[in-house]
Amino acid sequence: MSDMGDFWRDIKEHKAEKKQNNYTQNKRSLENNGVKFIEKPNGHFIILDSEEKPTHDFWATTGLIIERKTKRRSRGIRNLLRFVKSNRE
């Protein structure tokens, strides 16, 4: 029985490590690409445009993106960077 307990404990630890890694990598990507953002608790970032107005909500731990105007949902740092780049032009 303890083998199953160890298995699920390992799964839980792996998920926590993965979320922390996602957070770190996504934050670094935003900084490296010059994206302005406000950092909130739980891996939540509010993405700002050039006029310092919020455009997207981004959860770095899961990759969820919600566009503020349309409430459209998407996922992934690459999609977010594409949205930001298109808004700059």
Side-chain angles (χ1 to χ4, degrees):
M1 217 30 134
S2 68
D3 289 340
M4 265 320 242
D6 292 340
F7 171 76
W8 290 111
R9 200 169 301 108
D10 290 343
I11 293 290
K12 188 175 181 179
E13 288 173 7
H14 175 73
K15 288 174 77 174
E17 290 171 8
K18 178 66 176 156
K19 280 188 169 188
Q20 184 60 42
N21 186 41
N22 287 348
Y23 174 82
T24 304
Q25 294 295 326
N26 288 334
K27 183 177 179 182
R28 188 176 303 140
S29 290
L30 291 173
E31 291 169 344
N32 290 344
N33 285 286
V35 176
K36 296 178 186 177
F37 61 88
I38 299 170
E39 188 173 356
K40 297 289 186 174
N42 299 327
H44 178 209
F45 294 104
I46 298 173
I47 307 302
L48 304 172
D49 63 10
S50 58
E51 299 167 1
E52 304 291 322
K53 294 180 182 174
T55 60
H56 294 82
D57 289 309
F58 176 62
W59 283 263
T61 55
T62 61
L64 177 65
I65 304 164
I66 301 177
E67 188 175 1
R68 289 222 165 175
K69 286 183 184 176
T70 64
K71 304 295 184 210
R72 182 177 145 213
R73 292 174 174 248
S74 185
R75 287 206 179 265
I77 188 72
R78 290 184 188 135
N79 285 333
L80 178 63
L81 292 174
R82 191 176 328 122
F83 294 146
V84 169
K85 192 175 188 179
S86 68
N87 286 340
R88 286 182 182 170
E89 296 170 352

mmCIF file of all heavy atoms in Angstrom, residues 35-53:
data_model
loop_
_atom_site.group_PDB
_atom_site.id
_atom_site.type_symbol
_atom_site.label_atom_id
_atom_site.label_comp_id
_atom_site.label_asym_id
_atom_site.label_seq_id
_atom_site.Cartn_x
_atom_site.Cartn_y
_atom_site.Cartn_z
ATOM 1 N N VAL A 35 8.278 43.121 -22.070
ATOM 2 C CA VAL A 35 6.842 43.241 -21.822
ATOM 3 C C VAL A 35 6.628 43.855 -20.446
ATOM 4 O O VAL A 35 7.197 43.393 -19.451
ATOM 5 C CB VAL A 35 6.153 41.861 -21.905
ATOM 6 C CG1 VAL A 35 4.684 41.962 -21.564
ATOM 7 C CG2 VAL A 35 6.350 41.246 -23.279
ATOM 8 N N LYS A 36 5.827 44.900 -20.387
ATOM 9 C CA LYS A 36 5.502 45.531 -19.107
ATOM 10 C C LYS A 36 4.398 44.723 -18.426
ATOM 11 O O LYS A 36 3.422 44.346 -19.072
ATOM 12 C CB LYS A 36 5.025 46.958 -19.314
ATOM 13 C CG LYS A 36 6.073 47.873 -19.903
ATOM 14 C CD LYS A 36 5.491 49.246 -20.121
ATOM 15 C CE LYS A 36 6.466 50.141 -20.841
ATOM 16 N NZ LYS A 36 5.890 51.455 -21.130
ATOM 17 N N PHE A 37 4.566 44.487 -17.135
ATOM 18 C CA PHE A 37 3.554 43.714 -16.414
ATOM 19 C C PHE A 37 3.564 44.086 -14.945
ATOM 20 O O PHE A 37 4.520 44.650 -14.431
ATOM 21 C CB PHE A 37 3.776 42.209 -16.592
ATOM 22 C CG PHE A 37 5.094 41.699 -16.070
ATOM 23 C CD1 PHE A 37 5.224 41.290 -14.752
ATOM 24 C CD2 PHE A 37 6.201 41.623 -16.893
ATOM 25 C CE1 PHE A 37 6.426 40.812 -14.271
ATOM 26 C CE2 PHE A 37 7.412 41.148 -16.431
ATOM 27 C CZ PHE A 37 7.528 40.737 -15.116
ATOM 28 N N ILE A 38 2.457 43.759 -14.290
ATOM 29 C CA ILE A 38 2.326 43.883 -12.842
ATOM 30 C C ILE A 38 2.239 42.461 -12.305
ATOM 31 O O ILE A 38 1.411 41.673 -12.766
ATOM 32 C CB ILE A 38 1.058 44.671 -12.455
ATOM 33 C CG1 ILE A 38 1.104 46.081 -13.023
ATOM 34 C CG2 ILE A 38 0.899 44.698 -10.941
ATOM 35 C CD1 ILE A 38 -0.205 46.828 -12.887
ATOM 36 N N GLU A 39 3.069 42.147 -11.342
ATOM 37 C CA GLU A 39 3.079 40.800 -10.774
ATOM 38 C C GLU A 39 2.154 40.753 -9.566
ATOM 39 O O GLU A 39 2.228 41.583 -8.668
ATOM 40 C CB GLU A 39 4.503 40.436 -10.367
ATOM 41 C CG GLU A 39 4.666 39.009 -9.946
ATOM 42 C CD GLU A 39 6.128 38.651 -9.716
ATOM 43 O OE1 GLU A 39 7.011 39.483 -9.965
ATOM 44 O OE2 GLU A 39 6.359 37.525 -9.279
ATOM 45 N N LYS A 40 1.262 39.784 -9.569
ATOM 46 C CA LYS A 40 0.326 39.561 -8.467
ATOM 47 C C LYS A 40 0.633 38.207 -7.820
ATOM 48 O O LYS A 40 1.403 37.419 -8.365
ATOM 49 C CB LYS A 40 -1.117 39.561 -8.988
ATOM 50 C CG LYS A 40 -1.556 40.887 -9.584
ATOM 51 C CD LYS A 40 -1.716 41.912 -8.509
ATOM 52 C CE LYS A 40 -2.299 43.194 -9.071
ATOM 53 N NZ LYS A 40 -2.595 44.150 -8.041
ATOM 54 N N PRO A 41 0.014 37.886 -6.697
ATOM 55 C CA PRO A 41 0.249 36.577 -6.071
ATOM 56 C C PRO A 41 -0.240 35.420 -6.948
ATOM 57 O O PRO A 41 -1.023 35.599 -7.870
ATOM 58 C CB PRO A 41 -0.589 36.644 -4.795
ATOM 59 C CG PRO A 41 -0.828 38.084 -4.542
ATOM 60 C CD PRO A 41 -0.819 38.751 -5.888
ATOM 61 N N ASN A 42 0.250 34.250 -6.656
ATOM 62 C CA ASN A 42 -0.152 33.004 -7.326
ATOM 63 C C ASN A 42 0.210 32.964 -8.798
ATOM 64 O O ASN A 42 -0.490 32.346 -9.593
ATOM 65 C CB ASN A 42 -1.651 32.738 -7.155
ATOM 66 C CG ASN A 42 -2.033 32.595 -5.706
ATOM 67 O OD1 ASN A 42 -1.238 32.109 -4.907
ATOM 68 N ND2 ASN A 42 -3.220 33.030 -5.357
ATOM 69 N N GLY A 43 1.288 33.608 -9.197
ATOM 70 C CA GLY A 43 1.739 33.519 -10.584
ATOM 71 C C GLY A 43 0.895 34.292 -11.560
ATOM 72 O O GLY A 43 0.919 34.018 -12.751
ATOM 73 N N HIS A 44 0.136 35.263 -11.088
ATOM 74 C CA HIS A 44 -0.750 36.050 -11.942
ATOM 75 C C HIS A 44 -0.030 37.334 -12.356
ATOM 76 O O HIS A 44 0.499 38.048 -11.526
ATOM 77 C CB HIS A 44 -2.028 36.375 -11.188
ATOM 78 C CG HIS A 44 -2.985 37.229 -11.952
ATOM 79 N ND1 HIS A 44 -3.841 38.084 -11.329
ATOM 80 C CD2 HIS A 44 -3.229 37.383 -13.268
ATOM 81 C CE1 HIS A 44 -4.571 38.724 -12.231
ATOM 82 N NE2 HIS A 44 -4.200 38.312 -13.416
ATOM 83 N N PHE A 45 -0.017 37.593 -13.665
ATOM 84 C CA PHE A 45 0.568 38.815 -14.192
ATOM 85 C C PHE A 45 -0.504 39.592 -14.935
ATOM 86 O O PHE A 45 -1.321 39.004 -15.650
ATOM 87 C CB PHE A 45 1.704 38.515 -15.177
ATOM 88 C CG PHE A 45 2.894 37.853 -14.549
ATOM 89 C CD1 PHE A 45 3.121 36.510 -14.716
ATOM 90 C CD2 PHE A 45 3.772 38.587 -13.787
ATOM 91 C CE1 PHE A 45 4.220 35.896 -14.150
ATOM 92 C CE2 PHE A 45 4.877 37.983 -13.209
ATOM 93 C CZ PHE A 45 5.105 36.640 -13.386
ATOM 94 N N ILE A 46 -0.503 40.902 -14.763
ATOM 95 C CA ILE A 46 -1.376 41.768 -15.544
ATOM 96 C C ILE A 46 -0.477 42.437 -16.574
ATOM 97 O O ILE A 46 0.447 43.174 -16.217
ATOM 98 C CB ILE A 46 -2.079 42.813 -14.656
ATOM 99 C CG1 ILE A 46 -2.959 42.098 -13.633
ATOM 100 C CG2 ILE A 46 -2.896 43.777 -15.519
ATOM 101 C CD1 ILE A 46 -3.563 43.012 -12.593
ATOM 102 N N ILE A 47 -0.733 42.153 -17.840
ATOM 103 C CA ILE A 47 0.077 42.658 -18.931
ATOM 104 C C ILE A 47 -0.401 44.064 -19.286
ATOM 105 O O ILE A 47 -1.603 44.304 -19.411
ATOM 106 C CB ILE A 47 -0.006 41.737 -20.164
ATOM 107 C CG1 ILE A 47 0.316 40.283 -19.771
ATOM 108 C CG2 ILE A 47 0.895 42.232 -21.274
ATOM 109 C CD1 ILE A 47 1.661 40.071 -19.144
ATOM 110 N N LEU A 48 0.557 44.980 -19.449
ATOM 111 C CA LEU A 48 0.233 46.367 -19.729
ATOM 112 C C LEU A 48 0.661 46.729 -21.147
ATOM 113 O O LEU A 48 1.646 46.206 -21.657
ATOM 114 C CB LEU A 48 0.957 47.281 -18.738
ATOM 115 C CG LEU A 48 0.705 47.010 -17.260
ATOM 116 C CD1 LEU A 48 1.627 47.845 -16.405
ATOM 117 C CD2 LEU A 48 -0.746 47.268 -16.906
ATOM 118 N N ASP A 49 -0.081 47.654 -21.757
ATOM 119 C CA ASP A 49 0.328 48.157 -23.067
ATOM 120 C C ASP A 49 1.282 49.329 -22.881
ATOM 121 O O ASP A 49 1.692 49.651 -21.764
ATOM 122 C CB ASP A 49 -0.883 48.530 -23.935
ATOM 123 C CG ASP A 49 -1.713 49.663 -23.354
ATOM 124 O OD1 ASP A 49 -1.272 50.313 -22.382
ATOM 125 O OD2 ASP A 49 -2.807 49.899 -23.881
ATOM 126 N N SER A 50 1.629 50.001 -23.956
ATOM 127 C CA SER A 50 2.600 51.100 -23.892
ATOM 128 C C SER A 50 2.071 52.289 -23.087
ATOM 129 O O SER A 50 2.846 53.110 -22.619
ATOM 130 C CB SER A 50 2.980 51.546 -25.301
ATOM 131 O OG SER A 50 1.832 51.952 -26.010
ATOM 132 N N GLU A 51 0.762 52.368 -22.920
ATOM 133 C CA GLU A 51 0.164 53.460 -22.144
ATOM 134 C C GLU A 51 -0.134 53.040 -20.710
ATOM 135 O O GLU A 51 -0.905 53.698 -20.013
ATOM 136 C CB GLU A 51 -1.114 53.929 -22.841
ATOM 137 C CG GLU A 51 -0.858 54.463 -24.239
ATOM 138 C CD GLU A 51 -2.138 54.626 -25.041
ATOM 139 O OE1 GLU A 51 -3.230 54.344 -24.515
ATOM 140 O OE2 GLU A 51 -2.020 55.028 -26.204
ATOM 141 N N GLU A 52 0.446 51.909 -20.297
ATOM 142 C CA GLU A 52 0.284 51.388 -18.935
ATOM 143 C C GLU A 52 -1.152 50.960 -18.622
ATOM 144 O O GLU A 52 -1.565 50.962 -17.472
ATOM 145 C CB GLU A 52 0.774 52.398 -17.882
ATOM 146 C CG GLU A 52 2.210 52.843 -18.060
ATOM 147 C CD GLU A 52 3.227 51.747 -17.778
ATOM 148 O OE1 GLU A 52 3.018 50.970 -16.847
ATOM 149 O OE2 GLU A 52 4.228 51.682 -18.514
ATOM 150 N N LYS A 53 -1.920 50.587 -19.652
ATOM 151 C CA LYS A 53 -3.283 50.099 -19.442
ATOM 152 C C LYS A 53 -3.289 48.572 -19.533
ATOM 153 O O LYS A 53 -2.632 47.995 -20.397
ATOM 154 C CB LYS A 53 -4.221 50.674 -20.498
ATOM 155 C CG LYS A 53 -4.387 52.173 -20.379
ATOM 156 C CD LYS A 53 -5.323 52.690 -21.429
ATOM 157 C CE LYS A 53 -5.449 54.203 -21.352
ATOM 158 N NZ LYS A 53 -6.235 54.741 -22.439
#
